[in-house]
Amino acid sequence: MSRRIDIKEVERAQKRIASLVNKTPLIESFVLSEKLGRPVYLKLENTHDIGAFKVRGAANKILSLSVEEKVRGVTTYSTGNHGMAVAFVAKKLGIRAVVCISSRVPKAKVDSLKSLGAKIEVVGKSQDAAGVRCYELAKEKGYTVIEPFDDPFVIAGQGTIGLELLEDLPDLKDVVVPLSGGGLLSGIGLALKSNRSDIRITGVSMEQSAVMHESIKAGKPVELEESETLADSLLGGIGFNNQYTFKMVQTFMDQIVLSSEEEIGYAIAYMMDKQRIIMEGAAATGIAAILGNNVAHQNGALAVIITGQNVDMSILLQLIKNYTFEKSKN
């Protein structure tokens, strides 16, 4: 039985994680502001130690565990960034961590996981398969499972981004949030709409395997086969027994925009060329939505959550070669 998560939990999370998680920069993108005819800001979650926002939720959850739970250790399943976040926090706190991933997780993220000292188990070709193994480990070893998104502490941790936006940008009217399992949008939506119900929240994802989008269309959680995508961090199911994020996304999201692989690739190269910012495909879905003029204009500031930068250099170099000196001039 799920319980209600309120704004007080996000405020408590902000205090709890302060020792491990720094406030991230919010900068205006003048090139995007000029393009849209309104102020566009980038919330640089790619500046965290692990290069992704996931450290917020992982820190809030792990710091909330009892001493006994910390001693037994933790396990998780992930498309990469959440696993890195759990490994990073566990290493900081001296806790054993086992991360279950699928064979689809890019080499850059696997290498980062190894450098953080976590034990890695590669299972199947989907996050759901990795999740099954994660729960088997929890049963066998007594580990605590650190859910990637559908957990009150994880949601509240991600919601601290919303509190920071409200502190730094009083004129905020629009927020563009990459959407997968929904922990990020649920937390940010809770933080923002609890304070300012007029702020419009746009979820963004890739066209293929957008499970939350398809689940909302169906009115219930559905399962999709994972497809190859530049936005690999947005892969994975939301769980048939989803307790929190499905309903919270339904409540807080005002609209959703899906971007093609072509648009995502172009957005990565565009931001590298124009602003020298490295971002992974999931983060670039927000930029793709803006470049495609898919967020309806209104006066006031728009903020895009740049969720992470953990992209294989080989992919980045190929995209720059394909796009930067050709299409970005148009």
Side-chain angles (χ1 to χ4, degrees):
M1 187 73 175
S2 61
R3 61 178 178 82
R4 185 173 179 273
I5 308 170
D6 61 31
I7 188 62
K8 295 294 184 185
E9 293 192 48
V10 183
E11 293 167 352
R12 283 193 289 270
Q14 190 174 44
K15 294 176 181 177
R16 185 181 288 121
I17 69 177
S19 62
L20 287 176
V21 180
N22 295 323
K23 182 177 180 179
T24 54
L26 181 74
I27 65 168
E28 183 171 3
S29 170
F30 294 105
V31 65
L32 291 175
S33 294
E34 184 177 355
K35 204 169 187 67
L36 265 66
R38 63 184 296 196
V40 177
Y41 291 83
L42 309 177
K43 182 62 170 167
L44 300 180
E45 291 297 296
N46 57 326
T47 60
H48 288 296
D49 288 325
I50 66 159
F53 77 94
K54 288 281 193 177
V55 69
R56 295 175 183 265
N60 193 44
K61 176 64 176 183
I62 294 173
L63 287 168
S64 73
L65 299 180
S66 68
V67 172
E68 183 182 347
E69 287 171 325
K70 291 174 183 174
V71 169
R72 286 202 303 264
V74 298
T75 184
T76 195
Y77 55 103
S78 171
T79 53
N81 286 335
H82 176 67
M84 289 161 56
V86 170
F88 173 80
V89 174
K91 186 175 182 180
K92 286 281 188 181
L93 299 177
I95 297 171
R96 176 180 172 80
V98 180
V99 180
C100 299
I101 61 175
S102 81
S103 59
R104 288 189 184 275
V105 174
K107 183 178 183 298
K109 293 177 181 177
V110 176
D111 290 344
S112 293
L113 279 168
K114 290 177 179 176
S115 71
L116 289 167
K119 182 181 177 183
I120 303 169
E121 289 204 16
V122 181
V123 185
K125 295 182 179 180
S126 70
Q127 177 174 264
D128 292 346
V132 171
R133 177 56 182 155
C134 175
Y135 273 92
E136 289 175 354
L137 282 171
K139 188 174 181 180
E140 293 169 9
K141 306 290 187 180
Y143 300 145
T144 297
V145 174
I146 310 300
E147 284 286 345
F149 54 87
D150 197 35
D151 177 278
F153 289 96
V154 172
I155 293 167
Q158 320 306 23
T160 59
I161 296 171
L163 297 183
E164 292 177 14
L165 286 173
L166 291 169
E167 292 168 6
D168 293 344
L169 202 55
D171 187 35
L172 183 64
K173 293 294 183 182
D174 274 294
V175 182
V176 177
V177 186
L179 176 65
S180 178
L184 179 63
L185 194 146
S186 295
I188 290 176
L190 173 62
L192 295 180
K193 301 252 183 184
S194 296
N195 288 280
R196 291 260 314 279
S197 60
D198 63 303
I199 295 175
R200 183 173 60 183
I201 297 177
T202 300
V204 288
S205 195
M206 64 285 184
E207 287 181 344
Q208 303 297 320
S209 303
V211 178
M212 183 63 81
H213 170 62
E214 295 299 329
S215 295
I216 289 173
K217 280 172 57 179
K220 62 181 181 180
V222 300
E223 184 176 11
L224 297 178
E225 184 177 346
E226 292 185 7
S227 303
E228 292 297 325
T229 175
L230 289 168
D232 55 89
S233 292
L234 301 184
L235 289 172
I238 68 169
F240 289 123
N241 297 316
N242 187 289
Q243 297 184 70
Y244 300 99
T245 61
F246 177 66
K247 291 179 182 177
M248 292 179 76
V249 169
Q250 284 182 311
T251 300
F252 296 129
M253 186 172 69
D254 296 295
Q255 60 186 1
I256 186 166
V257 175
L258 303 182
S259 296
S260 68
E261 292 300 300
E262 176 86 4
E263 291 168 327
I264 294 168
Y266 176 67
I268 293 172
Y270 182 92
M271 293 304 287
M272 186 69 181
D273 184 31
K274 300 297 186 183
Q275 291 212 252
R276 299 299 187 264
I277 293 177
I278 295 175
M279 61 182 66
E280 60 189 80
T285 55
I287 303 299
I290 289 174
L291 293 176
N293 291 314
N294 291 320
V295 180
H297 181 89
Q298 63 177 352
N299 293 329
L302 179 151
V304 188
I305 312 301
I306 307 302
T307 49
Q309 64 177 15
N310 298 312
V311 56
D312 276 353
M313 288 305 297
S314 60
I315 292 174
L316 186 63
L317 291 170
Q318 187 60 50
L319 289 172
I320 292 169
K321 180 181 177 182
N322 289 350
Y323 293 102
T324 304
F325 302 108
E326 299 171 9
K327 299 179 183 178
S328 66
K329 290 182 179 180
N330 297 330

